[in-house]
Amino acid sequence: MILAFQTDLTGRIRQTVSEAFGVTLGEILVQTTPRLDLGDMALPLAFDLAKKIGRKPRDIAQELAPRLASVAGIARAEVAGGGFINLYLDRSAFTRRLASFVSAPPAPERRDGRVIVEHTSINPNKAAHIGHVRNSILGDTFVRLLQARGHEVLTQNYIDDTGVQVADVIVGFERLEKKSLADIRALDARFDYYCWDLYARVFEWYGEDRERKALQAATLHAIEKHEGPTAQLGEYVAARIVRAHIATMARLDIGYDLLVRESDILRQHFWAKAFELLKETKAIHFEEEGKAKGCWVLGMSGSEDGLDENKIIVRSNGTVTYTGKDIAYQLWKLGKLGLDFRYRRHEDSTPARPLWSSTSGAADEGAPHFGTGASLVFNVIDVGQSYPQRVVKAGVAAVAGPDAAEGTRHLGYEKVVLSKATAKELGYEVDEDAGVVKVSGRRGLGVKADDLIDALEAKAANEIATRDPERVAKDREKAARDIAVGALRYFMLRFSRNRIITFDMEEALAFTGETGPYIQNSVVRAKSILAKVSAEGHDLQALLRRAADKDLLGSWLATEEGSSAWSLFLAMARTEEAIETAVRTEEPSVMTRHAFQIAQAFHGYYQNPAHTVLRAETEDLRAVRVLVVDLFVRHTTDVAGLLGIPIPDRM
RNA sequence: GCGCCCCUAGCUCAAUUGGAUAGAGCAACAGACUACGAAUCUGUAGGUUGGAGGUUCGAAUCCUCCGGGGCGCACCA
């Protein structure tokens, strides 16, 4: 609710400054003050103005402050420091505005143009691990934030079902285990876990005899040709693993609208079309000599980032590289390819969350048209892929122009490594000199996503059992699931994207301090207060109406208790701003900190025994306290929802 | 060699993108349950922001140099 307020405010400031100094201001920065007793908002604009009109910042501030004090919603304005103008809000009016906003949040204004977010995109050859979890949680949360900003979002998960990683597992099944499709179908072990081990074994097996590595290329070729038993096997294995990944991510409340399979990109001849476009626009050229003789290369020298490099797109044997396929895919996302997939409903589609898949078979009737193009595309891919992502962007720029390239965003994030302690705990051999341990799919080294979630659930169930032994098992399990999800999502989001996360089991399992469960706990407590007040015969609605009185609120907010509540109100009002910042800076961690700050403000308020609702000295006090708790519950449930953090009934 | 990222309290991270006295969590220490559930709260201690220069009203943030660590620069994906 703060954005509309600030828009009004900056409009008035612009007008006032223009009248007083005849200067038109650009962007007007509205900041927070270091401490609440210095005011609720701070304006550093006198510093900029000082340069423009050649006067001292403090003098300018002195002159402006009294004029701003008359703006609606501002109680008073003071000059502080070298020339800050600090604004004190009309707490009563602001709180009433907040209350109506929170009890009936307006739908965000719809923005033009569709946004595509691609995330997860795990190779379909083994179980998901913690690195993938970071990707998916980051992407899913960003989707939620975009939607909260009014964007229409299409969430995609790219399935590289014709890649070498799948081929490796197929080599394992065919050569190492001598299994047929029927044998594999009959496997009733956890399939993604089975393949995790098999994949590691295949690399050991390759290592024993160099000749064996040739099987990888042959198998890949068979899969790409989409003929014969090996290709059938590849299709089956990839599809089954994808379903395992979907199930894993569903535990974290992560879903998709569309799965795009690389095999369909090949069979719909997306690349052939993209190749034409790249040639037409002279984005790529044929290399007659030198290192890349006989290849089609994309020149990067003319690109904006000034890289003086060439990237091979078509090999001398005529096959296209992954980067080339990615350019085709990216052009499709932007609606610039002129081709579309056919679509079928996926097996894991539900009425609540429809899921579609690209297909080269028959299209389902009534399937949506996903290929109409997006104005903005976010690719959630680890930061190690920055270079190929830049190449893709350069290709897009050449074919579709600078706007399309600008709409192609790499939402990069650093990797997740294991702490030494956790690696040891998992039974891996650890080099004593190493500070951390890198995960390695080839060596089967890493923490599987489902194992991690299981561990979190077990720990949460344990905690509940010690605190609340009477609790029935079913109820306990549901709460444990919610807590596990809250803990994991918060943990993966609280770091900036460019931070390497050193994953430590003990740290990830923590439920105290700056964690998801801290936020969940604050809301659960608040809800239990409301339930109790209601159970004692108080009418919550009547109390809320009573609290809405302007004078009652005004005088109470001036008290010490009111100030404590005020800091909470102000924090809640800033949610809109936090969402805007998180989306603009493409940094979801902004939101976790914001949520934590709100929860912390509430804990600070309600923990004070002098602020008890049940034993309130007067009905007026009970009324305003109910207002605090009620607003907090409603609002924080929504904020947690933006982070994908569920609120259990009890915990 | 070239490019990108990181270095902030003992540890893990923030700092509204150049703003006020650099803040949180964990760990440590001292307190608070006869109080709407203590997964909580209150307090104490902890800093030459890797180092040195520079830019300006103002620098953790921008520039230059140096040091330490990580990643990328495939006819792999």
Side-chain angles (χ1 to χ4, degrees):
Chain A
M1 145 271 142
I2 199 129
L3 291 182
F5 183 86
Q6 289 186 352
T7 306
D8 290 354
L9 180 65
T10 52
R12 288 298 305 271
I13 292 170
R14 203 181 305 276
Q15 195 187 335
T16 306
V17 168
S18 160
E19 284 164 14
F21 303 108
V23 174
T24 308
L25 288 170
E27 190 122 343
I28 297 173
L29 206 55
V30 181
Q31 297 178 317
T32 58
T33 53
R35 294 189 321 273
L36 228 42
D37 58 280
L38 286 173
D40 302 313
M41 293 175 175
L43 303 168
L45 61 93
F47 296 107
D48 290 335
L49 222 42
K51 276 182 202 150
K52 285 188 179 159
I53 61 176
R55 290 178 51 190
K56 286 186 180 159
R58 204 176 160 91
D59 293 347
I60 296 170
Q62 293 284 9
E63 201 174 321
L64 274 175
R67 290 165 175 255
L68 295 181
S70 65
V71 172
I74 304 293
R76 60 181 213 276
E78 283 178 2
V79 177
F84 287 97
I85 300 173
N86 290 344
L87 303 176
Y88 294 77
L89 300 176
D90 177 342
R91 292 182 173 186
S92 173
F94 191 85
T95 300
R96 278 151 39 102
R97 202 165 159 174
L98 174 71
S100 68
F101 185 92
V102 166
S103 23
E109 211 177 300
R110 291 225 68 82
R111 278 158 216 282
D112 290 339
R114 185 158 65 178
V115 179
I116 287 177
V117 176
E118 180 203 322
H119 66 76
T120 304
S121 305
I122 311 170
N123 277 307
N125 75 326
K126 60 180 181 299
H129 61 65
I130 40 173
H132 302 129
V133 170
R134 183 177 194 182
N135 180 306
S136 302
I137 289 176
L138 198 60
D140 180 71
T141 304
F142 199 61
V143 168
R144 292 167 193 253
L145 293 171
L146 285 166
Q147 285 167 339
R149 287 288 292 161
H151 292 284
E152 183 205 338
V153 184
L154 173 65
T155 306
Q156 294 182 188
N157 179 2
Y158 182 72
I159 312 296
D160 186 4
D161 57 347
T162 51
V164 282
Q165 304 225 27
V166 172
D168 288 326
V169 173
I170 300 309
V171 169
F173 277 126
E174 287 191 324
R175 307 296 174 137
L176 225 156
E177 302 210 313
K178 314 234 183 286
K179 280 192 167 64
S180 69
L181 179 56
D183 296 334
I184 299 169
R185 275 184 199 277
L187 281 174
D188 63 353
R190 272 210 61 160
F191 193 65
D192 55 339
Y193 279 34
Y194 189 93
C195 291
W196 174 286
D197 293 332
L198 180 58
Y199 183 59
R201 279 167 55 211
V202 168
F203 269 87
E204 262 185 57
W205 189 74
Y206 283 158
E208 290 163 11
D209 180 355
R210 296 188 73 89
E211 302 284 303
R212 290 172 179 166
K213 197 72 191 274
L215 292 168
Q216 184 189 56
T219 304
L220 181 60
H221 191 63
I223 291 173
E224 276 182 358
K225 271 187 73 182
H226 205 258
E227 278 171 21
T230 300
Q232 261 189 325
L233 231 156
E235 192 168 7
Y236 174 78
V237 168
R240 187 162 167 188
I241 294 281
V242 166
R243 296 195 68 181
H245 291 161
I246 289 172
T248 299
M249 295 310 169
R251 294 178 78 184
L252 301 174
D253 197 17
I254 295 171
Y256 315 91
D257 302 311
L258 175 64
L259 309 180
V260 171
R261 300 190 305 176
E262 188 178 77
S263 57
D264 293 319
I265 290 184
L266 293 177
R267 288 155 75 193
Q268 302 300 318
H269 308 292
F270 273 28
W271 165 244
K273 185 69 189 288
F275 194 24
E276 275 174 37
L277 293 172
L278 286 164
K279 283 192 282 196
E280 267 171 35
T281 55
K282 307 235 190 290
I284 60 175
H285 63 274
F286 190 74
E287 206 65 57
E288 300 283 357
E289 51 196 47
K291 268 193 304 190
K293 185 178 174 185
C295 300
W296 286 88
V297 304
L298 181 84
M300 299 276 289
S301 49
S303 67
E304 274 178 34
D305 52 30
L307 276 180
D308 191 20
E309 296 168 70
N310 289 325
K311 168 72 189 166
I312 290 167
I313 301 297
V314 179
R315 304 180 186 103
S316 53
N317 67 7
T319 58
V320 60
T321 61
Y322 177 82
T323 310
K325 283 183 259 185
D326 214 13
I327 291 173
Y329 178 33
Q330 186 66 34
L331 287 170
W332 171 81
K333 284 179 180 171
L334 293 159
K336 306 286 187 187
L337 190 65
L339 291 175
D340 199 1
F341 296 107
R342 290 198 288 279
Y343 302 99
R344 67 172 181 87
R345 207 177 282 277
H346 189 269
E347 292 83 341
D348 293 314
S349 187
T350 64
R353 183 79 202 232
L355 176 63
W356 297 85
S357 171
S358 62
T359 181
S360 294
D364 279 2
E365 266 181 58
H369 297 287
F370 291 107
T372 52
S375 49
L376 250 181
V377 176
F378 290 94
N379 299 317
V380 183
I381 312 176
D382 79 273
V383 83
Q385 312 272 345
S386 295
Y387 174 66
Q389 279 292 302
R390 285 213 310 271
V391 176
V392 169
K393 200 166 173 163
V396 168
V399 172
D403 284 352
E406 182 49 32
T408 300
R409 308 297 260 268
H410 177 200
L411 202 69
Y413 61 92
E414 271 289 0
K415 57 185 170 295
V416 181
V417 299
L418 304 181
S419 73
K420 224 197 293 193
T422 293
K424 277 185 186 165
E425 201 181 307
L426 292 167
Y428 298 128
E429 292 207 12
V430 178
D431 180 359
E432 280 308 318
D433 297 334
V436 296
V437 181
K438 283 183 224 168
V439 302
S440 164
R442 291 180 178 190
R443 289 193 286 149
L445 208 155
V447 178
K448 296 185 195 80
D450 280 311
D451 287 350
L452 173 59
I453 302 169
D454 289 346
L456 282 163
E457 285 182 359
K459 188 179 175 215
N462 214 354
E463 290 282 326
I464 295 168
T466 58
R467 285 160 211 273
D468 197 356
E470 306 295 305
R471 198 88 172 266
V472 293
K474 195 179 147 208
D475 188 28
R476 184 162 64 205
E477 281 167 24
K478 169 75 174 80
R481 281 201 299 274
D482 287 344
I483 293 165
V485 171
L488 184 53
R489 291 193 64 125
Y490 193 96
F491 180 80
M492 285 297 180
L493 289 170
R494 49 180 278 239
F495 307 94
S496 307
R497 286 192 283 117
N498 59 3
R499 233 43 216 209
I500 295 171
I501 297 181
T502 302
F503 182 85
D504 183 80
M505 194 60 91
E506 204 180 323
E507 203 187 324
L509 291 178
F511 291 162
T512 60
E514 200 198 322
T515 63
Y518 177 94
I519 292 165
Q520 293 172 314
N521 183 46
S522 68
V523 182
V524 167
R525 288 299 171 75
K527 277 160 77 174
S528 118
I529 291 171
L530 294 179
K532 227 161 217 167
V533 171
S534 198
E536 292 214 352
H538 299 288
D539 181 344
L540 291 179
Q541 291 311 315
L543 286 165
L544 287 171
R545 280 194 298 275
R546 185 182 189 128
D549 181 76
K550 188 169 74 118
D551 297 328
L552 169 60
L553 267 179
S555 56
W556 174 71
L557 283 163
T559 65
E560 203 177 320
E561 178 187 340
S563 290
S564 175
W566 173 245
S567 63
L568 171 62
F569 290 153
L570 206 52
M572 294 198 290
R574 290 199 219 273
T575 292
E576 246 192 339
E577 192 179 35
I579 296 170
E580 191 276 332
T581 304
V583 170
R584 179 171 41 82
T585 62
E586 301 172 4
E587 188 52 89
S589 64
V590 167
M591 213 53 212
T592 51
R593 278 193 299 279
H594 176 72
F596 178 70
Q597 206 192 328
I598 291 175
Q600 202 176 30
F602 178 74
H603 266 133
Y605 173 82
Y606 105 96
Q607 177 68 23
N608 190 330
H611 301 165
T612 169
V613 183
L614 275 179
R615 300 175 190 213
E617 298 89 326
T618 66
E619 281 302 289
D620 279 348
L621 273 174
R622 194 188 319 283
V624 290
R625 287 171 187 172
V626 164
L627 178 70
V628 174
V629 180
D630 179 69
L631 290 183
F632 174 75
V633 169
R634 290 168 187 269
H635 186 67
T636 310
T637 303
D638 292 345
V639 171
L642 285 172
L643 296 166
I645 296 175
I647 305 296
D649 293 330
R650 281 161 66 199
M651 61 188 282

